[in-house]
Amino acid sequence: MVKVRFAPSPTGNLHIGGARTALFNWMYARSQGGQFVLRIEDTDQERSKPEYEKEILDSMTWLGLSWDEFYKQSDRFEIYREYAQRLVAEQKAYHDGTAVILSVAKGRNVVFDDMIRDRITVSTDELKDQVLMKSDGSPAYSFSCVIDDALMGITHVIRGEDHISNTPKQILMYEAMGFKVPKFAHLPLIMGADGARLSKRFGAVAVSDYRKEGFLPDALVNYLLLLGWSPGGAQEIVSLKNAVEKFSIRKINKTAAQFNLEKLKWINGEYIKKCSVCDLVEQIIPVLQSEGYIGDVFDRKWLENSVSLFRTRMLTLLDFIERADFLFKDELVIADELKSEHFRPQTAPVFCALAQRLEALTDFNAFTAETAFRELVAAQGLSASDLVHPVRVALTGRTIGPGLFETMSVLGKERTISRLRQISS
Ligand code: GLU
Protein backbone atom coordinates (compact mmCIF):
# COMPACT_ATOMS: atom_id res chain seq x y z
CA MET A 1 0.00 0.00 0.00
CA VAL A 2 1.15 3.50 -0.82
CA LYS A 3 1.99 5.53 2.26
CA VAL A 4 3.28 9.08 2.03
CA ARG A 5 3.93 11.83 4.52
CA PHE A 6 4.19 15.54 4.93
CA ALA A 7 6.86 16.38 7.46
CA PRO A 8 6.93 20.10 8.28
CA SER A 9 9.27 21.61 10.83
CA PRO A 10 7.27 23.93 13.10
CA THR A 11 9.82 26.71 12.77
CA GLY A 12 7.46 28.97 10.85
CA ASN A 13 3.96 29.10 9.41
CA LEU A 14 2.82 26.71 6.70
CA HIS A 15 3.89 28.50 3.55
CA ILE A 16 2.78 28.13 -0.04
CA GLY A 17 5.63 25.76 -0.92
CA GLY A 18 4.93 23.52 2.07
CA ALA A 19 1.22 23.50 1.31
CA ARG A 20 1.93 22.46 -2.29
CA THR A 21 4.15 19.60 -1.00
CA ALA A 22 1.42 18.54 1.45
CA LEU A 23 -1.20 18.70 -1.30
CA PHE A 24 0.79 16.60 -3.78
CA ASN A 25 1.41 13.97 -1.11
CA TRP A 26 -2.25 14.02 -0.16
CA MET A 27 -3.38 13.74 -3.79
CA TYR A 28 -1.00 10.86 -4.39
CA ALA A 29 -2.25 9.00 -1.32
CA ARG A 30 -5.88 9.55 -2.28
CA SER A 31 -5.30 8.65 -5.92
CA GLN A 32 -3.66 5.35 -4.93
CA GLY A 33 -6.01 4.41 -2.13
CA GLY A 34 -3.03 4.92 0.18
CA GLN A 35 -2.40 6.71 3.44
CA PHE A 36 -1.18 10.16 4.30
CA VAL A 37 0.89 10.75 7.42
CA LEU A 38 1.44 14.13 9.03
CA ARG A 39 4.69 14.23 10.97
CA ILE A 40 5.84 17.26 12.89
CA GLU A 41 9.64 17.44 12.73
CA ASP A 42 10.26 19.35 15.91
CA THR A 43 13.72 18.07 16.76
CA ASP A 44 15.21 21.55 16.74
CA GLN A 45 13.94 22.55 20.14
CA GLU A 46 15.28 26.08 19.88
CA ARG A 47 13.47 26.98 16.69
CA SER A 48 10.36 24.80 16.96
CA LYS A 49 7.38 26.61 18.48
CA PRO A 50 3.99 25.21 19.55
CA GLU A 51 2.24 28.18 17.95
CA TYR A 52 3.73 27.29 14.56
CA GLU A 53 2.65 23.69 15.00
CA LYS A 54 -0.88 24.85 15.72
CA GLU A 55 -0.82 27.20 12.75
CA ILE A 56 0.36 24.39 10.45
CA LEU A 57 -2.40 22.04 11.64
CA ASP A 58 -5.03 24.78 11.32
CA SER A 59 -3.91 25.63 7.80
CA MET A 60 -3.88 21.97 6.75
CA THR A 61 -7.40 21.54 8.13
CA TRP A 62 -8.59 24.73 6.46
CA LEU A 63 -7.23 23.48 3.12
CA GLY A 64 -9.07 20.21 3.66
CA LEU A 65 -5.89 18.08 3.76
CA SER A 66 -6.86 15.47 6.31
CA TRP A 67 -4.29 12.99 7.62
CA ASP A 68 -4.57 9.33 8.54
CA GLU A 69 -1.77 9.25 11.13
CA PHE A 70 -0.07 11.92 13.19
CA TYR A 71 3.36 11.91 14.85
CA LYS A 72 5.69 14.32 16.56
CA GLN A 73 9.39 13.66 16.52
CA SER A 74 9.87 15.17 19.97
CA ASP A 75 7.96 12.11 21.30
CA ARG A 76 10.42 9.77 19.64
CA PHE A 77 13.90 10.80 20.78
CA GLU A 78 14.40 7.47 22.56
CA ILE A 79 13.97 5.61 19.26
CA TYR A 80 16.59 7.75 17.51
CA ARG A 81 19.06 7.26 20.36
CA GLU A 82 18.64 3.51 20.21
CA TYR A 83 19.36 3.37 16.50
CA ALA A 84 22.41 5.58 16.98
CA GLN A 85 23.74 3.26 19.69
CA ARG A 86 23.11 0.26 17.53
CA LEU A 87 25.08 1.80 14.66
CA VAL A 88 27.95 2.58 17.03
CA ALA A 89 27.86 -1.01 18.36
CA GLU A 90 27.98 -2.26 14.76
CA GLN A 91 30.92 0.09 14.14
CA LYS A 92 29.05 1.85 11.36
CA ALA A 93 29.10 5.05 13.38
CA TYR A 94 31.40 6.58 15.95
CA HIS A 95 31.29 9.06 18.79
CA ASP A 96 32.73 12.52 18.50
CA GLY A 97 32.32 13.85 22.01
CA THR A 98 28.62 13.30 22.68
CA ALA A 99 27.72 13.48 19.00
CA VAL A 100 27.30 10.33 16.90
CA ILE A 101 28.65 10.30 13.34
CA LEU A 102 28.04 7.84 10.50
CA SER A 103 31.17 6.71 8.65
CA VAL A 104 30.84 7.17 4.91
CA ALA A 105 33.06 4.86 2.85
CA LYS A 106 34.59 6.65 -0.13
CA GLY A 107 34.75 5.37 -3.66
CA ARG A 108 31.22 4.29 -4.52
CA ASN A 109 28.21 5.79 -6.19
CA VAL A 110 24.84 6.30 -4.56
CA VAL A 111 22.20 5.98 -7.27
CA PHE A 112 18.47 6.61 -7.12
CA ASP A 113 15.72 7.00 -9.66
CA ASP A 114 13.81 10.12 -8.80
CA MET A 115 10.24 9.84 -10.04
CA ILE A 116 10.40 13.37 -11.42
CA ARG A 117 14.07 13.99 -12.13
CA ASP A 118 15.04 10.48 -13.31
CA ARG A 119 18.37 8.90 -12.39
CA ILE A 120 20.61 10.75 -9.97
CA THR A 121 24.10 9.53 -9.16
CA VAL A 122 26.32 10.96 -6.43
CA SER A 123 29.77 9.71 -5.55
CA THR A 124 30.45 9.15 -1.86
CA ASP A 125 33.75 10.94 -2.49
CA GLU A 126 31.63 14.09 -2.38
CA LEU A 127 30.01 13.18 0.95
CA LYS A 128 31.43 13.72 4.40
CA ASP A 129 30.77 11.49 7.38
CA GLN A 130 27.21 12.29 8.49
CA VAL A 131 26.09 13.58 11.86
CA LEU A 132 23.36 11.31 13.26
CA MET A 133 23.01 12.68 16.79
CA LYS A 134 24.14 16.17 17.65
CA SER A 135 26.19 16.88 20.75
CA ASP A 136 23.10 18.30 22.50
CA GLY A 137 21.49 14.85 22.30
CA SER A 138 19.01 15.72 19.56
CA PRO A 139 18.95 13.82 16.25
CA ALA A 140 20.11 15.43 13.03
CA TYR A 141 17.21 16.06 10.63
CA SER A 142 18.23 13.39 8.12
CA PHE A 143 18.63 10.70 10.75
CA SER A 144 15.27 11.06 12.49
CA CYS A 145 13.63 11.54 9.11
CA VAL A 146 15.04 8.26 7.75
CA ILE A 147 14.19 6.27 10.88
CA ASP A 148 10.64 7.58 10.89
CA ASP A 149 10.08 7.11 7.18
CA ALA A 150 11.26 3.51 7.56
CA LEU A 151 9.36 2.70 10.77
CA MET A 152 6.19 4.37 9.53
CA GLY A 153 6.32 2.36 6.32
CA ILE A 154 6.60 5.36 4.00
CA THR A 155 6.74 4.06 0.42
CA HIS A 156 7.21 7.36 -1.42
CA VAL A 157 9.02 10.45 -0.19
CA ILE A 158 7.59 13.41 -2.10
CA ARG A 159 9.21 16.68 -1.07
CA GLY A 160 10.72 19.92 -2.30
CA GLU A 161 13.73 19.95 -4.55
CA ASP A 162 15.64 21.81 -1.85
CA HIS A 163 16.03 18.38 -0.19
CA ILE A 164 17.53 16.64 -3.19
CA SER A 165 21.09 16.89 -1.84
CA ASN A 166 19.95 15.18 1.38
CA THR A 167 18.69 12.12 -0.47
CA PRO A 168 22.05 10.35 -1.14
CA LYS A 169 23.07 10.94 2.49
CA GLN A 170 19.77 9.54 3.67
CA ILE A 171 20.08 6.52 1.39
CA LEU A 172 23.39 5.72 3.12
CA MET A 173 21.52 5.82 6.44
CA TYR A 174 18.75 3.50 5.16
CA GLU A 175 21.46 1.08 4.08
CA ALA A 176 23.40 1.31 7.34
CA MET A 177 20.28 0.43 9.33
CA GLY A 178 19.16 -2.25 6.90
CA PHE A 179 15.96 -0.44 5.93
CA LYS A 180 14.26 -0.66 2.56
CA VAL A 181 14.87 2.56 0.58
CA PRO A 182 11.59 4.26 -0.46
CA LYS A 183 10.96 5.90 -3.82
CA PHE A 184 11.75 9.61 -4.05
CA ALA A 185 10.10 12.43 -5.94
CA HIS A 186 11.50 15.97 -5.65
CA LEU A 187 9.08 18.71 -6.56
CA PRO A 188 10.27 21.71 -8.56
CA LEU A 189 10.75 24.90 -6.58
CA ILE A 190 8.23 27.70 -6.60
CA MET A 191 9.59 31.02 -7.78
CA GLY A 192 8.23 34.49 -7.17
CA ALA A 193 7.33 36.73 -10.09
CA ASP A 194 10.88 38.10 -10.00
CA GLY A 195 12.29 34.63 -10.70
CA ALA A 196 13.83 34.40 -7.23
CA ARG A 197 12.83 31.70 -4.79
CA LEU A 198 9.53 32.40 -3.09
CA SER A 199 10.39 34.06 0.20
CA LYS A 200 9.01 36.47 2.75
CA ARG A 201 10.48 39.34 0.74
CA PHE A 202 7.98 38.46 -1.94
CA GLY A 203 4.95 39.26 0.22
CA ALA A 204 2.42 36.87 1.65
CA VAL A 205 3.85 33.35 1.74
CA ALA A 206 1.89 31.80 4.61
CA VAL A 207 -1.34 29.95 3.88
CA SER A 208 -2.86 31.81 6.83
CA ASP A 209 -2.04 35.14 5.14
CA TYR A 210 -4.09 34.11 2.12
CA ARG A 211 -6.86 33.00 4.42
CA LYS A 212 -6.85 36.43 6.08
CA GLU A 213 -6.81 38.14 2.71
CA GLY A 214 -10.06 36.47 1.76
CA PHE A 215 -9.05 33.55 -0.42
CA LEU A 216 -11.25 30.47 -0.37
CA PRO A 217 -9.53 27.20 0.57
CA ASP A 218 -10.79 25.39 -2.53
CA ALA A 219 -9.47 28.16 -4.76
CA LEU A 220 -6.06 28.10 -3.09
CA VAL A 221 -5.93 24.32 -3.42
CA ASN A 222 -6.89 24.63 -7.09
CA TYR A 223 -4.13 27.17 -7.61
CA LEU A 224 -1.54 25.09 -5.75
CA LEU A 225 -2.26 21.94 -7.66
CA LEU A 226 -1.40 23.75 -10.88
CA LEU A 227 2.04 24.68 -9.54
CA GLY A 228 4.11 22.11 -11.37
CA TRP A 229 1.30 19.82 -12.46
CA SER A 230 -1.61 20.05 -14.84
CA PRO A 231 -4.62 17.82 -15.47
CA GLY A 232 -3.95 18.23 -19.19
CA GLY A 233 -5.28 20.69 -21.76
CA ALA A 234 -5.84 24.28 -20.80
CA GLN A 235 -8.16 23.48 -17.92
CA GLU A 236 -7.45 25.77 -14.99
CA ILE A 237 -10.48 25.35 -12.79
CA VAL A 238 -9.98 21.86 -11.43
CA SER A 239 -11.74 20.37 -8.47
CA LEU A 240 -9.66 18.40 -6.03
CA LYS A 241 -11.75 15.32 -6.77
CA ASN A 242 -11.06 15.65 -10.46
CA ALA A 243 -7.36 16.28 -9.83
CA VAL A 244 -7.09 13.19 -7.64
CA GLU A 245 -8.56 11.10 -10.46
CA LYS A 246 -5.95 12.36 -12.91
CA PHE A 247 -2.97 12.83 -10.64
CA SER A 248 0.32 11.23 -11.58
CA ILE A 249 3.74 11.95 -10.09
CA ARG A 250 5.38 11.27 -13.43
CA LYS A 251 3.53 14.19 -14.99
CA ILE A 252 4.98 16.70 -12.54
CA ASN A 253 7.22 19.25 -14.26
CA LYS A 254 10.95 19.29 -13.76
CA THR A 255 11.20 23.04 -14.16
CA ALA A 256 10.43 25.56 -11.44
CA ALA A 257 6.86 26.75 -11.09
CA GLN A 258 6.15 30.46 -10.95
CA PHE A 259 3.83 31.90 -8.37
CA ASN A 260 1.38 34.27 -9.97
CA LEU A 261 -0.84 36.25 -7.63
CA GLU A 262 -3.03 37.57 -10.46
CA LYS A 263 -3.87 34.04 -11.51
CA LEU A 264 -4.60 33.02 -7.94
CA LYS A 265 -6.96 35.99 -7.64
CA TRP A 266 -8.68 35.11 -10.88
CA ILE A 267 -9.20 31.52 -9.73
CA ASN A 268 -10.49 32.81 -6.40
CA GLY A 269 -12.98 35.05 -8.19
CA GLU A 270 -14.20 32.07 -10.20
CA TYR A 271 -14.72 30.06 -7.00
CA ILE A 272 -16.55 32.97 -5.41
CA LYS A 273 -18.90 33.06 -8.39
CA LYS A 274 -19.47 29.31 -8.16
CA CYS A 275 -19.98 29.33 -4.41
CA SER A 276 -23.58 29.46 -3.24
CA VAL A 277 -24.49 32.76 -1.57
CA CYS A 278 -25.19 30.82 1.58
CA ASP A 279 -21.68 29.27 1.70
CA LEU A 280 -20.11 32.56 0.78
CA VAL A 281 -21.89 34.31 3.64
CA GLU A 282 -20.63 31.58 5.98
CA GLN A 283 -17.06 32.38 4.96
CA ILE A 284 -17.53 36.14 5.05
CA ILE A 285 -19.08 36.28 8.52
CA PRO A 286 -15.81 35.72 10.41
CA VAL A 287 -14.08 38.32 8.24
CA LEU A 288 -16.85 40.87 8.88
CA GLN A 289 -16.75 40.10 12.58
CA SER A 290 -12.99 40.52 12.79
CA GLU A 291 -13.30 43.87 10.99
CA GLY A 292 -15.99 44.90 13.46
CA TYR A 293 -18.63 45.29 10.73
CA ILE A 294 -21.06 42.94 12.42
CA GLY A 295 -21.36 41.54 15.91
CA ASP A 296 -22.69 38.22 17.11
CA VAL A 297 -26.23 39.13 16.16
CA PHE A 298 -26.98 40.07 12.56
CA ASP A 299 -29.64 39.70 9.89
CA ARG A 300 -28.51 36.73 7.80
CA LYS A 301 -31.05 37.30 5.04
CA TRP A 302 -29.90 40.88 4.63
CA LEU A 303 -26.29 39.74 4.61
CA GLU A 304 -27.09 37.28 1.84
CA ASN A 305 -28.63 40.07 -0.20
CA SER A 306 -25.59 42.25 0.39
CA VAL A 307 -23.22 39.50 -0.69
CA SER A 308 -25.34 38.72 -3.78
CA LEU A 309 -24.96 42.32 -4.81
CA PHE A 310 -21.16 41.96 -5.04
CA ARG A 311 -20.67 38.29 -5.77
CA THR A 312 -19.73 38.60 -9.43
CA ARG A 313 -17.41 41.52 -8.75
CA MET A 314 -15.22 40.06 -6.05
CA LEU A 315 -11.83 38.44 -6.43
CA THR A 316 -11.34 37.99 -2.70
CA LEU A 317 -13.62 38.17 0.32
CA LEU A 318 -11.77 41.31 1.37
CA ASP A 319 -13.01 42.95 -1.83
CA PHE A 320 -16.47 42.68 -0.33
CA ILE A 321 -15.38 44.28 2.93
CA GLU A 322 -13.71 47.04 0.99
CA ARG A 323 -16.46 47.78 -1.52
CA ALA A 324 -19.52 47.10 0.57
CA ASP A 325 -18.35 49.15 3.55
CA PHE A 326 -21.14 51.70 2.94
CA LEU A 327 -23.73 49.03 3.73
CA PHE A 328 -22.37 48.58 7.23
CA LYS A 329 -21.89 52.20 8.22
CA ASP A 330 -24.51 54.43 9.76
CA GLU A 331 -22.72 57.61 8.81
CA LEU A 332 -21.20 57.79 5.38
CA VAL A 333 -18.22 60.06 4.89
CA ILE A 334 -17.94 61.28 1.31
CA ALA A 335 -14.60 62.57 0.10
CA ASP A 336 -14.59 66.30 -0.66
CA GLU A 337 -13.31 65.86 -4.18
CA LEU A 338 -16.21 63.49 -4.94
CA LYS A 339 -18.64 66.03 -3.55
CA SER A 340 -17.32 68.87 -5.62
CA GLU A 341 -17.19 66.74 -8.71
CA HIS A 342 -20.70 65.26 -8.48
CA PHE A 343 -22.88 67.62 -6.47
CA ARG A 344 -24.07 70.91 -8.02
CA PRO A 345 -26.20 73.57 -6.35
CA GLN A 346 -29.19 72.18 -8.27
CA THR A 347 -28.52 68.65 -6.98
CA ALA A 348 -29.96 69.29 -3.53
CA PRO A 349 -33.57 69.98 -4.57
CA VAL A 350 -33.53 66.99 -6.94
CA PHE A 351 -32.27 64.71 -4.15
CA CYS A 352 -34.98 66.12 -1.94
CA ALA A 353 -37.64 65.37 -4.52
CA LEU A 354 -36.30 61.85 -5.01
CA ALA A 355 -36.32 61.27 -1.25
CA GLN A 356 -39.93 62.35 -1.18
CA ARG A 357 -40.96 59.95 -3.95
CA LEU A 358 -39.10 57.08 -2.27
CA GLU A 359 -40.68 57.94 1.05
CA ALA A 360 -44.10 57.48 -0.48
CA LEU A 361 -43.35 53.88 -1.53
CA THR A 362 -45.10 51.34 0.62
CA ASP A 363 -43.15 48.47 -0.88
CA PHE A 364 -39.50 49.50 -1.22
CA ASN A 365 -37.50 47.32 -3.59
CA ALA A 366 -35.21 47.66 -6.61
CA PHE A 367 -38.15 47.75 -9.00
CA THR A 368 -40.30 50.32 -7.16
CA ALA A 369 -37.24 52.46 -6.46
CA GLU A 370 -36.30 52.45 -10.13
CA THR A 371 -39.84 53.37 -11.15
CA ALA A 372 -39.89 56.28 -8.70
CA PHE A 373 -36.49 57.40 -9.96
CA ARG A 374 -37.55 57.31 -13.61
CA GLU A 375 -40.78 59.17 -12.90
CA LEU A 376 -38.84 61.90 -11.17
CA VAL A 377 -36.35 62.18 -14.02
CA ALA A 378 -39.19 62.46 -16.54
CA ALA A 379 -41.09 64.98 -14.44
CA GLN A 380 -38.03 67.19 -14.07
CA GLY A 381 -36.92 66.84 -17.66
CA LEU A 382 -33.53 65.39 -16.64
CA SER A 383 -31.65 62.48 -18.13
CA ALA A 384 -31.33 59.39 -15.94
CA SER A 385 -27.59 59.23 -16.40
CA ASP A 386 -27.20 62.78 -15.05
CA LEU A 387 -28.69 61.65 -11.80
CA VAL A 388 -27.39 58.09 -11.44
CA HIS A 389 -23.82 59.11 -10.61
CA PRO A 390 -24.58 61.76 -7.97
CA VAL A 391 -27.09 59.45 -6.30
CA ARG A 392 -24.59 56.61 -6.25
CA VAL A 393 -22.01 58.88 -4.68
CA ALA A 394 -24.55 60.05 -2.09
CA LEU A 395 -25.53 56.51 -1.16
CA THR A 396 -22.21 54.66 -1.38
CA GLY A 397 -19.46 57.29 -1.31
CA ARG A 398 -18.17 55.80 -4.55
CA THR A 399 -18.51 56.35 -8.26
CA ILE A 400 -18.70 52.69 -9.22
CA GLY A 401 -20.54 49.75 -7.78
CA PRO A 402 -23.35 47.31 -8.41
CA GLY A 403 -26.69 48.33 -9.92
CA LEU A 404 -28.01 51.48 -8.25
CA PHE A 405 -31.51 50.23 -7.55
CA GLU A 406 -30.34 46.87 -6.18
CA THR A 407 -27.98 48.86 -4.01
CA MET A 408 -30.89 51.01 -2.75
CA SER A 409 -32.90 47.93 -2.00
CA VAL A 410 -30.14 46.37 0.11
CA LEU A 411 -29.29 49.66 1.77
CA GLY A 412 -32.94 49.91 2.76
CA LYS A 413 -35.53 52.63 2.51
CA GLU A 414 -34.59 54.49 5.63
CA ARG A 415 -30.89 54.79 4.97
CA THR A 416 -31.39 55.54 1.27
CA ILE A 417 -33.66 58.44 2.13
CA SER A 418 -31.54 59.77 4.97
CA ARG A 419 -28.39 59.75 2.83
CA LEU A 420 -30.19 61.69 0.09
CA ARG A 421 -31.53 64.17 2.63
CA GLN A 422 -28.15 64.56 4.28
CA ILE A 423 -26.65 65.80 1.03
CA SER A 424 -29.53 68.14 0.35
CA SER A 425 -29.55 69.65 3.83
N1 GLU B 1 11.23 18.78 8.12
C1 GLU B 1 11.70 18.88 6.79
C2 GLU B 1 11.30 20.24 6.24
O1 GLU B 1 10.41 20.87 6.78
C3 GLU B 1 11.08 17.78 5.97
C4 GLU B 1 11.92 17.30 4.89
C5 GLU B 1 11.41 16.05 4.23
O2 GLU B 1 10.26 16.08 3.75
O3 GLU B 1 12.12 15.06 4.24
O4 GLU B 1 11.87 20.72 5.31
Side-chain angles (χ1 to χ4, degrees):
M1 189 192 58
V2 163
K3 199 169 179 188
V4 293
R5 65 3 175 233
F6 175 53
S9 304
T11 53
N13 294 331
L14 180 64
H15 59 85
I16 290 294
R20 197 264 317 245
T21 300
L23 174 63
F24 280 25
N25 274 283
W26 188 95
M27 290 204 291
Y28 189 57
R30 296 293 173 256
S31 72
Q32 301 293 312
Q35 291 203 311
F36 175 64
V37 172
L38 178 58
R39 183 172 73 225
I40 300 294
E41 300 208 320
D42 54 351
T43 54
D44 184 337
Q45 290 172 316
E46 286 275 295
R47 292 174 57 224
S48 298
K49 300 266 183 294
E51 54 270 32
Y52 289 135
E53 181 184 327
K54 181 179 179 308
E55 198 271 354
I56 292 169
L57 300 189
D58 284 352
S59 291
M60 293 277 293
T61 306
W62 181 70
L63 290 171
L65 304 178
S66 50
W67 48 92
D68 303 301
E69 290 173 24
F70 178 79
Y71 300 94
K72 277 174 75 157
Q73 289 193 321
S74 54
D75 296 335
R76 300 168 60 83
F77 273 34
E78 222 22 71
I79 301 173
Y80 312 134
R81 274 185 210 121
E82 256 172 52
Y83 274 96
Q85 277 161 11
R86 203 181 293 176
L87 288 173
V88 173
E90 292 170 354
Q91 297 186 335
K92 292 175 179 165
Y94 56 90
H95 280 285
D96 179 5
T98 49
V100 179
I101 318 285
L102 179 75
S103 310
V104 174
K106 302 287 172 200
R108 59 164 282 218
N109 282 336
V110 183
V111 181
F112 66 99
D113 289 309
D114 189 278
M115 294 176 79
I116 298 169
R117 310 192 59 87
D118 305 325
R119 176 151 294 193
I120 293 176
T121 305
V122 177
S123 161
T124 55
D125 293 346
E126 290 165 32
L127 303 176
K128 292 191 285 218
D129 286 0
Q130 296 294 310
V131 177
L132 302 179
M133 298 295 290
K134 299 185 204 168
S135 48
D136 66 2
S138 66
Y141 145 70
S142 275
F143 188 50
S144 47
C145 179
V146 164
I147 293 173
D148 282 351
D149 283 343
L151 298 184
M152 292 169 193
I154 300 303
T155 56
H156 297 74
V157 171
I158 307 169
R159 60 186 173 190
E161 203 181 82
D162 46 333
H163 284 291
I164 207 159
S165 63
N166 291 324
T167 304
K169 302 169 191 168
Q170 293 181 342
I171 289 174
L172 293 174
M173 295 182 195
Y174 281 98
E175 290 175 354
M177 289 183 278
F179 291 139
K180 183 167 187 281
V181 180
K183 291 203 161 58
F184 290 95
H186 290 92
L187 304 173
L189 295 180
I190 303 174
M191 304 294 188
D194 56 358
R197 222 181 124 180
L198 202 61
S199 71
K200 293 217 173 67
R201 264 184 310 125
F202 166 84
V205 286
V207 168
S208 52
D209 292 333
Y210 289 93
R211 183 179 182 176
K212 276 187 225 120
E213 286 174 18
F215 288 86
L216 303 184
D218 294 355
L220 189 54
V221 162
N222 186 151
Y223 181 70
L224 291 175
L225 64 83
L226 297 176
L227 283 177
W229 180 78
S230 144
Q235 193 189 352
E236 302 215 275
I237 300 296
V238 197
S239 72
L240 192 50
K241 186 170 169 289
N242 196 244
V244 164
E245 280 161 15
K246 295 191 178 160
F247 189 69
S248 144
I249 294 185
R250 307 233 174 242
K251 294 235 175 76
I252 295 173
N253 293 337
K254 289 187 176 63
T255 48
Q258 200 172 59
F259 188 84
N260 181 334
L261 185 59
E262 292 313 309
K263 184 163 163 187
L264 170 58
K265 282 188 176 170
W266 174 79
I267 290 179
N268 204 53
E270 294 302 300
Y271 274 79
I272 287 177
K273 281 183 218 151
K274 279 203 311 180
C275 200
S276 74
V277 174
C278 187
D279 286 348
L280 207 52
V281 165
E282 247 357 276
Q283 312 210 44
I284 286 181
I285 287 169
V287 191
L288 285 169
Q289 284 172 333
S290 74
E291 297 283 321
Y293 277 25
I294 58 172
D296 292 335
V297 186
F298 51 85
D299 179 347
R300 185 174 289 261
K301 187 78 200 117
W302 177 77
L303 203 52
E304 283 177 11
N305 292 339
S306 309
V307 169
S308 302
L309 203 54
F310 286 91
R311 190 154 68 115
T312 57
R313 303 163 172 263
M314 292 153 61
L315 293 181
T316 70
L317 302 182
L318 283 193
D319 285 347
F320 176 72
I321 310 279
E322 228 173 76
R323 293 177 199 169
D325 60 342
F326 68 90
L327 289 174
F328 297 90
K329 290 179 178 158
D330 288 330
E331 292 290 320
L332 189 67
V333 182
I334 300 171
D336 286 338
E337 62 265 28
L338 279 186
K339 282 187 186 163
S340 56
E341 191 181 332
H342 293 278
F343 302 154
R344 303 271 168 267
Q346 63 273 28
T347 307
V350 179
F351 275 11
C352 217
L354 178 60
Q356 224 161 32
R357 283 180 187 260
L358 295 176
E359 183 104 76
L361 297 176
T362 42
D363 187 10
F364 185 85
N365 57 44
F367 177 74
T368 56
E370 177 163 7
T371 309
F373 180 91
R374 300 218 178 268
E375 282 169 4
L376 171 83
V377 161
Q380 306 232 348
L382 299 164
S383 88
S385 59
D386 287 342
L387 198 53
V388 165
H389 289 297
V391 170
R392 184 189 300 287
V393 170
L395 300 183
T396 70
R398 283 161 205 273
T399 51
I400 45 171
L404 183 62
F405 306 108
E406 284 77 17
T407 302
M408 284 186 181
S409 149
V410 174
L411 192 59
K413 183 173 176 179
E414 215 173 291
R415 283 196 293 178
T416 301
I417 291 170
S418 76
R419 284 183 193 184
L420 289 170
R421 291 231 160 100
Q422 202 181 335
I423 305 299
S424 42
S425 65

